[in-house]
Amino acid sequence: MNQDPDLSTFSELTVYENYCMAVYKQKGACTPTKIQAIEYLQAYNPKFALRIDSPCKRLSGGERQALGLALCLMHKPQLVLLDEHTSALDPAISKNLMELTASRLALSGSSAIICTHQLSDALQFGNRLLFMRQGRIAADYNAQEKEHLTKEDLLKLYT
């Protein structure tokens, strides 16, 4: 999943229709009710209950990002690449979505590579932290090493 929500959903289709497309891709049929869609999607954003019949093009960029993530994680992929997947969200929704992402990945047994510039997220989530500079790994911390890092430690890597 990437930063461009236009690539994660079908803009002319409604939230419900996008959900059905994801279910169809997973199961080969679309039989979910709107209630089932709402129950699944509102964990990613409570507004989806009110916007289930809205075309995705009417959602904010952040709402489309959350919808794209929900649809992606529905398939319980082995590996997910998330590129700034909370970048268009306000801080409270971003925090909730990061926590939800972590819990859903853990429940499904999926692994993720998360690209972020949010230092607090880099420290809080995941069991390994790689710092990249000019396309190369400049620092690599395992879970134990990461526990002792601070934002100030990471900021020093930028210089």
Side-chain angles (χ1 to χ4, degrees), residues 85-159:
H85 74 293
T86 61
S87 63
L89 306 174
D90 70 52
I93 292 175
S94 175
K95 180 181 183 288
N96 289 341
L97 197 58
M98 282 298 295
E99 290 170 353
L100 184 62
T101 300
S103 69
R104 293 287 165 106
L105 289 169
L107 283 174
S108 69
S110 301
S111 296
I113 298 172
I114 300 176
C115 301
T116 184
H117 290 96
Q118 298 299 322
L119 300 182
S120 58
D121 288 347
L123 292 169
Q124 181 179 356
F125 298 99
N127 57 11
R128 185 172 177 192
L129 190 150
L130 297 174
F131 184 87
M132 306 290 292
R133 184 182 297 122
Q134 297 178 344
R136 300 203 185 276
I137 297 172
D140 182 353
Y141 302 99
N142 64 31
Q144 275 186 312
E145 295 166 330
K146 201 176 113 166
E147 286 179 18
H148 304 289
L149 289 175
T150 65
K151 284 185 185 180
E152 290 73 27
D153 294 328
L154 294 181
L155 284 171
K156 290 176 189 174
L157 294 171
Y158 281 96
T159 56

Side-chain angles (χ1 to χ4, degrees), residues 27-114:
K27 297 181 180 177
C30 184
T31 57
T33 65
K34 286 184 182 176
I35 302 275
Q36 290 169 315
I38 289 168
E39 286 174 355
Y40 176 75
L41 295 173
Q42 69 184 358
Y44 292 87
N45 188 322
K47 292 179 183 178
F48 289 145
L50 302 171
R51 299 192 176 169
I52 198 74
D53 293 316
S54 297
C56 283
K57 66 183 177 185
R58 293 206 179 132
L59 300 177
S60 71
E63 289 168 338
R64 286 185 72 178
Q65 276 184 291
L67 179 60
L69 178 65
L71 301 179
C72 170
L73 294 182
M74 176 188 293
H75 300 288
K76 298 179 179 150
Q78 288 182 322
L79 178 65
V80 182
L81 176 58
L82 301 169
D83 181 13
E84 297 280 350
H85 74 293
T86 61
S87 63
L89 306 174
D90 70 52
I93 292 175
S94 175
K95 180 181 183 288
N96 289 341
L97 197 58
M98 282 298 295
E99 290 170 353
L100 184 62
T101 300
S103 69
R104 293 287 165 106
L105 289 169
L107 283 174
S108 69
S110 301
S111 296
I113 298 172
I114 300 176

Side-chain angles (χ1 to χ4, degrees), residues 12-28:
E12 298 298 322
L13 299 181
T14 67
V15 170
Y16 175 66
E17 291 166 336
N18 271 274
Y19 176 83
C20 287
M21 294 287 288
V23 169
Y24 181 82
K25 183 178 177 186
Q26 182 181 27
K27 297 181 180 177

